[in-house]
Amino acid sequence: MQTRFIRTLLFAFVILCMSAAAFGAVGVVITVGPPALPVYEQPICPGDGYLWTPGYWAWGDDFDDYYWVPGTWIMAPEVGFLWTPGYWGWGGDSFIFYDGYWGPTIGFYGGINYGFGYFGVGFAGGRWDNGHFFYNRAVANVNVTNIHNVYNTTVSNVTVNRVSYNGGNGGITARATPEEEAAAHERHVGPVAAQTQHTQQAHSDPEQRASRNQGKPPVAASARAGDFKGEGVVKASEAGGRYTTANRADNQPRESGSAPRPESAPGHVRDLPAAERPTAPTSGDTKQDKRNQQQLDKQYGQQQKERQKLQQQQEKEDQKIAKQNNDAKKQQVEQRHQQQTQQLQQRHQQQSQEMQQRMQPAPAARPEARPR
């Protein structure tokens, strides 16, 4: 008993030390990976100043199951603060949850595509300007009759899969950038009281558990935190994928980075959907819009060349391995192709988002009040 207690303390100490490197506060440690992210619509923003916090799978220690915490709109604790979502990651011998936090800059959230502006890198759903939050109508569901601080910038986003964890078998292979790492070391705060109560509400509802809803929660999102009934509640339209025990800890590699092809993820570049040609946002400056479009076209052309090159390489390797009677080698090649494809898509997605963000026109300045 004493030996087990000491080992537990040592393990807890190691996990705490890992938190700085993982850019977030460490929560629970689980041996079964979370289900895929369900498909659902975003409820309309309840009012000016609310920011979207995406839904996620949490773990209930008391009933040994995942339960869905609905996405919801939350008032930021401070002007200028944004929400960095939490995420599950493969820690080498178990799945670990890294808590989300509020801060002036979006940090790393595992490369998970939560949707609604959280496409794996940064946040495209809105921005702060002169003490006011401006919503991107191309991403956020807002009522422009009541909320006037809006803009419209198209965001290039192609959902390849709905994987809800980073690393390990079938997990997202994204790694934190230096900027994302720095964001975690800035001044930030954890979930506000409304978020904590919202999570507790989901925890107490048996219908939100994965074993009951099979990855399709009845309350996928709500307009207001803690409200699981009424007009603002949105149910999942479908599960993100069939949940199995294939992503248990005993089936994971000892080190993250090895990612066999999951059922929902494309294994080759040829399996990716056709990339849409991006359109530059309208700023009102015709010459600038033309230059922006030329930059987008150039980036699009380069990305298409990279796709074609990798696709040709993969097809050549497939033809070569098909002539060999070696199933183990064939599996290794398929795993490598799946990783290459996912990394290519994530890299192109990040490039496109960064380009779009640089081209976003500044919100119109609010007129100063004149003395009477």
Side-chain angles (χ1 to χ4, degrees):
M1 179 65 71
Q2 183 178 8
T3 302
R4 180 180 299 177
F5 177 72
I6 294 174
R7 288 177 61 187
T8 301
L9 289 178
L10 290 174
F11 179 74
F13 176 76
V14 171
I15 293 300
L16 287 173
C17 292
M18 287 173 59
S19 63
F23 326 121
V26 175
V28 295
V29 180
I30 308 301
T31 59
V32 180
L37 299 171
V39 181
Y40 63 95
E41 298 294 329
Q42 184 184 58
I44 194 166
C45 181
D48 193 8
Y50 282 83
L51 274 65
W52 178 251
T53 59
Y56 64 96
W57 291 104
W59 178 262
D61 285 322
D62 50 343
F63 46 79
D64 291 332
D65 194 7
Y66 284 98
Y67 64 95
W68 179 255
V69 179
T72 192
W73 294 94
I74 295 288
M75 291 290 290
E78 293 186 27
V79 171
F81 268 24
L82 299 168
W83 175 248
T84 295
Y87 71 96
W88 289 95
W90 173 243
D93 58 1
S94 57
F95 289 93
I96 305 171
F97 186 72
Y98 301 98
D99 292 326
Y101 56 88
W102 293 94
T105 308
I106 296 291
F108 183 63
Y109 52 94
I112 311 300
N113 187 344
Y114 287 109
F116 312 113
Y118 291 100
F119 300 129
V121 178
F123 178 57
R127 62 175 181 266
W128 288 95
D129 187 85
N130 293 324
H132 296 275
F133 189 78
F134 286 74
Y135 300 86
N136 183 3
R137 289 189 60 198
V139 175
N141 184 10
V142 296
N143 185 344
V144 295
T145 301
N146 301 324
I147 300 177
H148 305 290
N149 37 308
V150 298
Y151 62 97
N152 197 324
T153 299
T154 302
V155 179
S156 176
N157 172 50
V158 178
T159 301
V160 174
N161 57 56
R162 306 194 67 82
V163 175
S164 61
Y165 59 94
N166 179 284
N169 287 347
I172 302 297
T173 58
R175 295 293 179 266
T177 65
E179 293 77 15
E180 289 172 325
E181 180 177 358
H185 299 293
E186 295 178 343
R187 185 179 68 88
H188 58 261
V189 298
V192 296
Q195 289 173 285
T196 301
Q197 295 169 1
H198 185 69
T199 301
Q200 293 173 347
Q201 179 76 8
H203 176 274
S204 62
D205 187 348
E207 296 300 321
Q208 293 297 103
R209 300 173 190 175
S211 60
R212 294 281 288 269
N213 58 51
Q214 298 299 302
K216 183 182 176 182
V219 182
S222 62
R224 294 183 182 274
D227 184 6
F228 282 37
K229 296 181 180 180
E231 296 181 356
V233 172
V234 176
K235 65 179 181 180
S237 58
E238 60 181 287
R242 185 171 61 89
Y243 181 57
T244 68
T245 58
N247 55 349
R248 290 185 63 88
D250 50 10
N251 293 332
Q252 296 289 337
R254 300 311 298 174
E255 297 180 359
S256 61
S258 170
R261 177 182 179 181
E263 294 179 4
S264 59
H268 297 80
V269 173
R270 63 174 179 267
D271 299 328
L272 290 174
E276 298 181 3
R277 185 179 294 275
T279 302
T282 302
S283 65
D285 186 334
T286 304
K287 292 184 179 179
Q288 183 61 49
D289 291 347
K290 183 178 180 180
R291 287 193 293 269
N292 288 345
Q293 188 61 53
Q294 290 174 343
Q295 293 182 44
L296 286 173
D297 290 342
K298 181 179 179 180
Q299 183 186 71
Y300 174 80
Q302 181 62 36
Q303 291 178 347
Q304 289 297 99
K305 290 181 180 179
E306 292 178 4
R307 284 180 62 147
Q308 294 172 2
K309 182 179 179 180
L310 182 56
Q311 180 175 340
Q312 293 172 356
Q313 174 187 326
Q314 291 178 346
E315 290 177 349
K316 184 177 180 180
E317 292 176 354
D318 284 341
Q319 294 173 1
K320 182 178 179 180
I321 198 65
K323 299 178 182 179
Q324 303 177 15
N325 187 20
N326 190 330
D327 291 339
K329 184 67 175 178
K330 182 178 181 180
Q331 184 178 7
Q332 291 177 359
V333 172
E334 290 179 348
Q335 292 175 5
R336 184 170 70 252
H337 287 176
Q338 191 274 337
Q339 286 183 317
Q340 292 172 343
T341 302
Q342 191 176 58
Q343 290 169 356
L344 177 76
Q345 191 275 336
Q346 290 174 349
R347 183 171 68 253
H348 286 179
Q349 184 180 30
Q350 181 174 359
Q351 292 172 351
S352 298
Q353 289 178 4
E354 291 175 349
M355 179 73 75
Q356 291 277 2
Q357 289 174 356
R358 289 198 298 269
M359 294 179 178
Q360 288 179 1
R366 289 173 172 255
E368 297 182 359
R370 296 182 179 180
R372 296 182 177 179

